[in-house]
Amino acid sequence: MSTRHSSKALLMTFGAVLALSACGGNGADRVASPGEGAFPPPPPTAPPPSNPPPSEPPPSEPPPSGPAASCPEGFRNIGTIADFRACELPERIIGELTVPKAAGTVYAINGAVHVGEDMGGDAAAPRAGAREGILNIEAGVTLYASAGPDALVVNRGSKIYALGTAEEPIIMTAKIDVEGGATAETEGRWGGLVLAGRAPVNTCIGDFQPGTAQCETRIEGGDLGMYGGNSATDNSGTVQYMQIRYSGFAFSGGNELQGLTMGGVGSGTTIEYVQVHNSSDDGIEIFGGTVNGRRIVVTGASDDSLDIDSMWSGAVQFGIVVQRDSTGDNMNEWSGTNSSNTIPLTPEQYSNPHVANFTYVGRAGGTSGNGSGFTVNLGSRAEIYNTVVTRKPGGTGKGLTCLSVETPERGSTATLESVFFACPNNFNNEAAEAAFTAGVNTVAGNSTLTSVFVNGANETAVPAAANLPGKHPFLQQVDYIGGVKDANDTWWQGWTCGLTADTPC
């Protein structure tokens, strides 16, 4: 009960001023306020409504727009492009440099930007005087290049940490894309990303044994440096959640840059959640080394989607490859050696590529020139598991071959388990047919893929390969074939472009 209201009732009844007394209870209710009886009480306050209306949020600041006023420290201001401040990377990065995400800012690659200096092929004894570089790229950063020779090159002994996220992938692209002029046929506008490491290769310059520090060779694409060496576990850093768009450049026949080029890259390197889109040459080319990759997407490559050479012995798992309707050669072209080798190679010095849980979708039309799902060339001991090869719905003609094993007399072999082929020609020579027949759970049938690359009933019915980690320690055991198990398998969503109509590049 309110002391104030009790006092007012007494005053009105007796017409005299009475002292207030406590009404019982504890705490402040037992203390009278000075002069409380000398003034009329305030009007009663209405109780708050049981469901008060929601308060209006304070007005928010509009997001900043337009070019940033300046460039972060360490980058040269070269003006503006579209509605962004253009900040140029230094020609050579020595020490540590971070490319920060900054509103209204994109970063320019001009010419061959080198991370570090070539430290040689001996991981235990780096070349005297050579300096290391470490390049960090933050999530959400966009880098662009303007011409074919423009490339980002990470040299032997240096590292890149390109740490995108599913929500904010790193985008490496062409100037025309930043300006809004890229189309479905744009390609070949710059040189891409090049990683050079100290892992073993077999294409030595000179009479050296593969796997020694002296066994090294030059990166394709001009005078960009060397790769190869004696460290199978060499670490060139981490690339994750990255798109590489509209790359690929030919300096001359057989001397090209791809979207992602890796030479002598070791197993200490992390490559995951990487997409190459519309490369005018190969999507990804791996020259020797032991690097592995997971969650890989290649869309629209004009030549091969995944090309390997020179004693690569790594593994890739979980991938989607979709060719452009207008172009594309082999989705895989795997080689182990070539005529430049000056010493005889043993089978252990051939390439030993492993692929698991990929879905390959070739272009739809044509009667020739559509290449193959897998072309296994000389000196390559291919291992293919949990894989689907087909072409786009509505395809016509006899252009796509699922498997071709070339020159078996010179070391080409193919081991297959739990593969599903749905091509106009599942194999085009006796060696390929023999490999398919000798395989475990090898099935030829009609594709039931949905949404171009998601498993349907026929793909789901194929039993998965057993003991994948026993076939290569990088591989993870799963209970399905193909790159995308079903509609609930969404590892590719959010960070890629061009796989679905609502996410154009």
Side-chain angles (χ1 to χ4, degrees):
M1 178 175 67
S2 169
T3 304
R4 176 177 296 153
H5 290 173
S6 299
S7 301
K8 181 179 178 185
L10 290 170
L11 284 169
M12 294 176 65
T13 305
F14 298 106
V17 177
L18 301 176
L20 299 176
S21 61
C23 298
N26 298 317
D29 286 341
R30 297 179 59 90
V31 180
S33 299
E36 194 174 68
F39 301 95
T45 303
S50 58
N51 293 305
S55 57
E56 292 292 329
S60 59
E61 291 289 330
S65 60
S70 59
C71 290
E73 184 177 353
F75 302 88
R76 187 166 74 92
N77 186 345
I78 57 173
T80 60
I81 175 174
D83 206 24
F84 298 97
R85 175 67 51 194
C87 302
E88 187 178 87
L89 273 69
E91 183 177 344
R92 189 173 296 273
I93 296 163
I94 301 297
E96 190 165 359
L97 177 69
T98 295
V99 184
K101 182 186 177 185
T105 304
V106 292
Y107 296 89
I109 297 169
N110 186 7
V113 172
H114 285 264
V115 180
E117 297 169 334
D118 183 11
M119 302 180 79
D122 191 343
R127 184 169 293 157
R131 297 172 294 173
E132 180 185 13
I134 298 176
L135 178 63
N136 305 306
I137 306 176
E138 293 185 349
V141 164
T142 295
L143 304 99
Y144 76 93
S146 304
D150 297 347
L152 179 60
V153 182
V154 180
N155 286 294
R156 290 187 292 184
S158 291
K159 295 178 178 65
I160 182 174
Y161 293 99
L163 306 180
T165 66
E167 298 75 23
E168 293 189 292
I170 294 165
I171 297 175
M172 301 183 71
T173 189
K175 180 181 179 183
I176 190 174
D177 187 24
V178 176
E179 294 172 329
T183 71
E185 296 302 318
T186 299
E187 62 173 22
R189 297 304 181 101
W190 66 293
L193 174 62
V194 180
L195 306 182
R198 299 174 290 199
V201 301
N202 66 9
T203 46
C204 320
I205 297 176
D207 252 351
F208 300 106
Q209 279 292 333
T212 62
Q214 297 77 25
C215 181
E216 60 182 9
T217 192
R218 288 185 179 85
I219 299 168
E220 281 192 4
D223 188 16
L224 294 180
M226 308 290 286
Y227 66 88
N230 61 6
S231 176
T233 59
D234 196 43
N235 182 4
S236 295
T238 298
V239 178
Q240 64 183 22
Y241 291 107
M242 175 183 282
Q243 295 176 21
I244 303 172
R245 304 180 183 176
Y246 311 119
S247 57
F249 182 74
F251 290 85
S252 59
N255 187 24
E256 306 100 355
L257 289 175
Q258 286 53 240
L260 173 59
T261 302
M262 293 186 284
V265 177
S267 62
T269 307
T270 299
I271 305 293
E272 59 184 10
Y273 299 96
V274 174
Q275 178 183 14
V276 178
H277 177 69
N278 276 27
S279 169
S280 66
D281 195 63
D282 301 325
I284 298 173
E285 186 158 12
I286 306 175
F287 296 91
T290 53
V291 65
N292 306 302
R294 191 173 283 138
R295 314 292 184 189
I296 304 298
V297 175
V298 180
T299 47
S302 278
D303 194 12
D304 307 320
S305 297
L306 178 61
D307 192 348
I308 70 103
D309 302 275
S310 309
M311 207 172 76
W312 179 56
S313 60
V316 289
Q317 187 174 20
F318 310 116
I320 302 167
V321 171
V322 181
Q323 288 187 316
R324 236 185 307 171
D325 287 332
S326 59
T327 188
D329 190 13
N330 303 311
M331 289 184 277
N332 295 272
E333 185 167 351
W334 292 355
S335 303
T337 182
N338 57 44
S339 58
S340 68
N341 292 99
T342 57
I343 59 172
L345 298 179
T346 65
E348 291 71 29
Q349 294 168 334
Y350 294 158
S351 290
N352 185 202
H354 301 71
V355 64
N357 291 99
F358 264 63
T359 296
Y360 295 94
V361 183
R363 54 195 173 108
T367 57
S368 63
N370 281 33
S372 69
F374 290 88
T375 293
V376 182
N377 285 324
L378 64 99
S380 182
R381 298 176 296 142
E383 299 186 38
I384 305 165
Y385 305 105
N386 289 357
T387 289
V388 176
V389 184
T390 186
R391 63 177 177 182
K392 291 182 180 179
T396 59
K398 300 287 186 181
L400 178 64
T401 297
C402 277
L403 175 65
S404 177
V405 179
E406 305 295 334
T407 60
E409 70 281 359
R410 297 185 63 187
S412 338
T413 63
T415 300
L416 283 66
E417 183 174 350
S418 300
V419 300
F420 184 87
F421 285 174
C423 299
N425 310 299
N426 288 319
F427 19 82
N428 66 350
N429 57 23
E430 291 181 1
E433 185 172 4
F436 183 85
T437 302
V440 177
N441 294 325
T442 52
V443 178
N446 295 318
S447 170
T448 56
L449 293 176
T450 64
S451 302
V452 180
F453 50 82
V454 178
N455 279 355
N458 288 353
E459 292 80 15
T460 301
V462 180
N467 190 25
L468 284 179
K471 303 175 194 312
H472 191 285
F474 180 77
L475 298 177
Q476 299 175 351
Q477 188 61 44
V478 294
D479 62 358
Y480 62 95
I481 74 167
V484 181
K485 179 178 182 179
D486 53 34
N488 297 315
D489 186 4
T490 58
W491 62 264
W492 51 273
Q493 289 184 2
W495 61 274
T496 61
C497 68
L499 283 175
T500 56
D502 60 334
T503 58
C505 293

